[in-house]
Amino acid sequence: MKEQIAKILAEKIPSLSEAEILELIEIPPNPQMGDYAFPCFRLAKTLRKAPPMIAADLLGEIEAPDFIEEIKVAGAYLNFYVKKNVYAETLLSKVRGEQFGSSEEGKGHTICIDYSSPNVAKNFHVGHLRTTIIGNSLYKIFSKLGYHVERINHLGDWGTQFGKLIVAYKKWGSEEAVKEKGIEELMRLYVDFHKAADEDPALEDEARFWFAEMERGNEEALKIWKWFVDISLEEFKRTYRLLGLEFDHYTGESFYRDKTEAVVKRLTDANLLSESEGAKIVDLSEYDMAPCLILKNDGSSIYATRDLAAIFYRMENYHFDRCLYVTGQEQRLHFQQVFKVVELLGNEWAKEGLVHIPYGLVSLGGEKLSSRDGNVIYAEDILLEAISKIKAIIEEKNPDLENKDDVARNVGVGAVIFNDLYNQRIKDVSFRWEHLLNFDGETGPYVQYTYARCSSILRKVEDFDPNGPIDISFMTDEASLGLLKELSRFDSVVKEAAKRYEPSVVARFAVAVAQAFNHYYTVNRINVEDVNERNARVLLVDITRRILRDAMDLLGITCVEQM
């Protein structure tokens, strides 16, 4: 319908192409203002008339197509009112299919997503939740569009910090304490090292020595390192199970340590390496960037070297069209440097194929978290606390609910995920329980409750065939059309979220659908005696339930049938 309106207008507006007019056509925020609106501001300069006059002239010149009930001028806008039965039937045919929202636009294309990537021997705190949750949602969004996605957990399992841990373990640790307390003890050692190093800077030299020993293959150093990695992975995977997600690859920085030599050779052969105070760098001053450090003055690699090795490995093995990096915005310069080095090596695909997806900080009650200072909130603790609080609400409101533990887990974990994804990823996120677990606001529990309400209605209906004939006249009221309009946006919402790497587009859509459904439910009786009316009403409930489920799944949230 929008395309047909654009075609009619293009015949009367020679200064604009049909595609340009299509881009300008809006959907008014209020149905009283029509279903489609064409703004005339852009024509004022070429026609040398006031926009309201242009709108009035167009109204007198164009002939309404069959599906249009009425055309009106409202200020500078030409508003089109679609015949309600035609509009309802068009929208219904769009949203009724089981695969609505899916696409094959990504078929034959591969996307690598590098996300989560916690540092080994540091606990998985709430800061790691952002990259994990955003990355998992992007995986689901791109998969929905037909892309093949490789989920990569690039663990921070190599680097000078392990030299620090080895020093701390040898000086102040014990095998018994690490076995008993696991990552908690490793964190204590890490914090104690930094406190001691502030008083005795020579400890930093010891740490660099032990990391260099790791790179040389020192058996003792590697044995301690591997032990710390195994302890950490056990904890990380417990948190991933709570979040209900998996990875295709746990190829951390250590995986690329035998591949960095080839990177150095590439850079040397391309005459890109230069020396600076004993270290090897790529000078990027021509591009207004600090130099990219490749080898430290003791000859050991740095994370930029390993990131370069990872990019070449992924291209050779996965043949990606795009490789996405979901990390904090403070790493923006690092990825700009690494991507530029890849490009300078003659890889034009780096310009479009390597994408950094930054996000804001995470706080608990507004206080930034730092593992170095030991001011850490465990991600697992946050998730378990959310589950516990939801369980308490269930015990109070619906103590006889079946599968209370499963419901509490899905709603509680879902609330944490939704709280993160509802706002644009670049914005900072704060965990505040009074908002996060609210069943009435723009929250995960609110959407979950709406889904459960749909399920409850459907359980009470007998002999309903979602594929049967429908009397469209029962979908022409304002609430029904409003709900259909929201539901019909799902396919464009998924594509927009992928285009912008922005899961919040899907989260906000889920809230809008929930709000439209609850209004629809308030003004319309559903399970009525008249079979035709009931089938039409119930079909909308069924479609709403399915699309809400699919939208929440794209966020990494499992919906519950009862609450």
Side-chain angles (χ1 to χ4, degrees):
M1 289 186 287
K2 189 175 176 181
E3 289 172 355
Q4 289 184 56
I5 291 170
K7 187 175 183 178
I8 291 165
L9 288 170
E11 292 174 359
K12 304 298 179 184
I13 308 172
S15 61
L16 293 177
S17 69
E18 190 175 320
E20 288 173 318
I21 293 171
L22 187 64
E23 189 71 25
L24 287 171
I25 293 173
E26 302 173 5
I27 295 177
N30 187 331
Q32 307 297 330
M33 300 163 67
D35 300 299
Y36 297 99
F38 176 70
C40 298
F41 303 103
R42 188 167 164 181
L43 301 173
K45 189 173 182 180
T46 54
L47 297 179
R48 297 186 178 183
K49 286 185 180 180
M53 291 180 64
I54 297 170
D57 289 345
L58 283 172
L59 177 61
E61 294 176 14
I62 62 175
E63 187 175 334
D66 291 342
F67 62 87
I68 294 294
E69 184 81 52
E70 189 177 11
I71 306 174
K72 291 182 180 179
V73 171
Y77 288 86
L78 196 60
N79 292 345
F80 296 80
Y81 295 77
V82 179
K83 291 176 180 176
K84 287 183 168 53
N85 63 325
V86 175
Y87 205 6
E89 195 162 3
T90 302
L91 294 174
L92 180 62
S93 65
K94 183 180 180 183
V95 303
R96 204 170 181 181
E98 281 287 331
Q99 296 304 311
F100 177 59
S102 299
S103 165
E104 291 194 352
E105 71 172 50
K107 190 173 182 180
H109 297 282
T110 295
I111 289 180
C112 291
I113 308 184
D114 179 325
Y115 63 107
S116 195
S117 310
N119 289 322
V120 164
K122 295 181 183 179
N123 55 22
F124 196 105
H125 63 68
V126 295
H128 297 129
L129 276 177
R130 291 224 71 188
T131 167
T132 307
I133 290 168
I134 293 168
N136 185 55
S137 181
L138 290 175
Y139 149 69
K140 287 176 171 286
I141 288 166
F142 280 105
S143 297
K144 186 85 169 172
L145 295 175
Y147 290 88
H148 171 72
V149 182
E150 297 284 351
R151 299 168 291 179
I152 303 170
N153 197 331
H154 186 77
L155 295 168
D157 62 356
W158 201 251
T160 309
Q161 70 267 31
F162 291 98
K164 297 176 182 180
L165 269 170
I166 290 172
V167 171
Y169 174 68
K170 282 176 159 292
K171 288 183 179 295
W172 311 300
S174 71
E175 184 177 349
E176 294 76 18
V178 174
K179 282 183 175 178
E180 180 187 348
K181 298 180 181 177
I183 206 165
E184 183 183 342
E185 176 66 5
L186 299 183
M187 278 298 300
R188 183 189 72 79
L189 292 172
Y190 186 75
V191 171
D192 285 353
F193 175 89
H194 281 283
K195 287 178 181 176
D198 287 340
E199 301 293 328
D200 182 9
L203 288 171
E204 297 282 359
D205 294 328
E206 281 191 58
R208 282 189 282 271
F209 166 79
W210 275 106
F211 176 56
E213 285 296 293
M214 285 170 59
E215 294 228 300
R216 294 186 193 102
N218 179 292
E219 190 174 324
E220 180 190 7
L222 290 177
K223 184 179 179 183
I224 297 173
W225 163 78
K226 181 67 167 60
W227 182 32
F228 291 170
V229 169
D230 290 343
I231 289 170
S232 304
L233 265 177
E234 186 178 336
E235 165 140 335
F236 298 159
K237 288 183 178 180
R238 193 171 63 241
T239 302
Y240 295 144
R241 283 193 295 271
L242 261 181
L243 288 166
L245 55 87
E246 297 176 350
F247 291 88
D248 299 306
H249 313 282
Y250 286 91
T251 44
E253 291 190 71
S254 65
F255 179 81
Y256 302 101
R257 68 183 191 269
D258 63 349
K259 299 170 179 60
T260 55
E261 192 175 327
V263 170
V264 175
K265 186 177 186 308
R266 281 196 196 202
L267 293 170
T268 303
D269 292 347
N271 293 316
L272 287 173
L273 275 187
S274 56
E275 190 169 314
S276 174
E277 298 179 10
K280 296 289 186 180
I281 65 165
V282 175
D283 184 1
L284 298 175
S285 57
E286 184 181 340
Y287 308 98
D288 297 321
M289 280 187 265
C292 184
L293 180 60
I294 301 299
L295 291 175
K296 292 184 281 189
N297 54 18
D298 61 2
S300 60
S301 66
I302 192 169
Y303 49 87
T305 330
R306 297 186 286 275
D307 274 342
L308 288 165
I311 288 170
F312 295 128
Y313 175 86
R314 291 167 188 173
M315 176 54 80
E316 288 163 11
N317 287 272
Y318 308 133
H319 311 290
F320 62 77
D321 294 273
R322 275 177 283 172
C323 188
L324 315 181
Y325 293 80
V326 185
T327 75
Q329 58 184 329
E330 67 276 4
Q331 293 191 39
R332 190 188 299 269
L333 175 59
H334 164 73
F335 284 106
Q336 286 176 341
Q337 291 172 313
V338 169
F339 297 169
K340 178 56 72 173
V341 171
V342 176
E343 185 187 332
L344 290 175
L345 282 168
N347 302 292
E348 281 297 308
W349 48 262
K351 293 179 181 179
E352 301 292 333
L354 300 174
V355 184
H356 178 223
I357 300 172
Y359 55 81
L361 297 171
V362 181
S363 64
L364 190 68
E367 188 173 354
K368 184 184 173 183
L369 304 161
S370 165
S371 55
R372 172 169 176 168
D373 298 331
N375 173 26
V376 183
I377 306 296
Y378 279 53
E380 186 180 30
D381 289 346
I382 288 284
L383 295 170
L384 292 176
E385 181 74 7
I387 293 168
S388 175
K389 287 178 180 294
I390 291 293
K391 179 77 177 293
I393 294 171
I394 292 171
E395 293 288 2
E396 178 188 347
K397 304 287 188 183
N398 190 6
D400 298 325
L401 178 68
E402 294 181 11
N403 304 316
K404 282 186 282 191
D405 290 338
D406 288 342
V407 172
R409 183 179 67 253
N410 287 328
V411 176
V413 171
V416 173
I417 293 173
F418 200 92
N419 179 72
D420 188 296
L421 297 182
Y422 185 72
N423 292 308
Q424 291 182 8
R425 58 178 161 75
I426 204 64
K427 293 185 177 179
D428 295 346
V429 167
S430 178
F431 286 92
R432 300 184 185 277
W433 294 116
E434 63 273 15
H435 171 75
L436 192 113
L437 302 177
N438 193 334
F439 282 77
D440 297 319
E442 296 170 348
T443 64
Y446 171 71
V447 179
Q448 289 269 31
Y449 181 77
T450 305
Y451 176 89
R453 171 176 274 177
C454 290
S455 296
S456 175
I457 293 168
L458 292 170
R459 282 194 299 273
K460 296 172 184 175
V461 176
E462 297 179 359
D463 302 323
F464 167 67
D465 179 8
N467 299 310
I470 290 296
D471 186 340
I472 204 70
S473 66
F474 292 108
M475 292 187 178
T476 58
D477 61 284
E478 186 179 316
S480 298
L481 271 175
L483 178 56
L484 275 169
K485 285 179 184 179
E486 287 297 343
L487 294 168
S488 71
R489 293 194 300 117
F490 187 42
D491 57 346
S492 60
V493 160
V494 179
K495 290 176 182 178
E496 181 70 12
K499 180 182 177 182
R500 292 169 47 195
Y501 308 112
E502 189 60 82
S504 67
V505 175
V506 178
R508 289 176 177 269
F509 165 78
V511 167
V513 168
Q515 290 171 337
F517 174 80
N518 286 313
H519 174 63
Y520 166 79
Y521 179 77
T522 301
V523 301
N524 286 308
R525 289 181 62 216
I526 310 296
N527 198 1
V528 295
E529 289 185 13
D530 184 276
V531 175
N532 290 332
E533 182 178 359
R534 184 195 65 185
N535 286 347
R537 301 287 185 221
V538 173
L539 179 60
L540 265 185
V541 176
D542 185 61
I543 293 170
T544 299
R545 176 182 177 276
R546 170 170 48 81
I547 291 178
L548 276 181
R549 179 199 64 209
D550 290 352
M552 293 291 268
D553 179 69
L554 292 180
L555 302 175
I557 299 171
T558 301
C559 287
V560 298
E561 299 300 317
Q562 292 178 279
M563 289 179 69

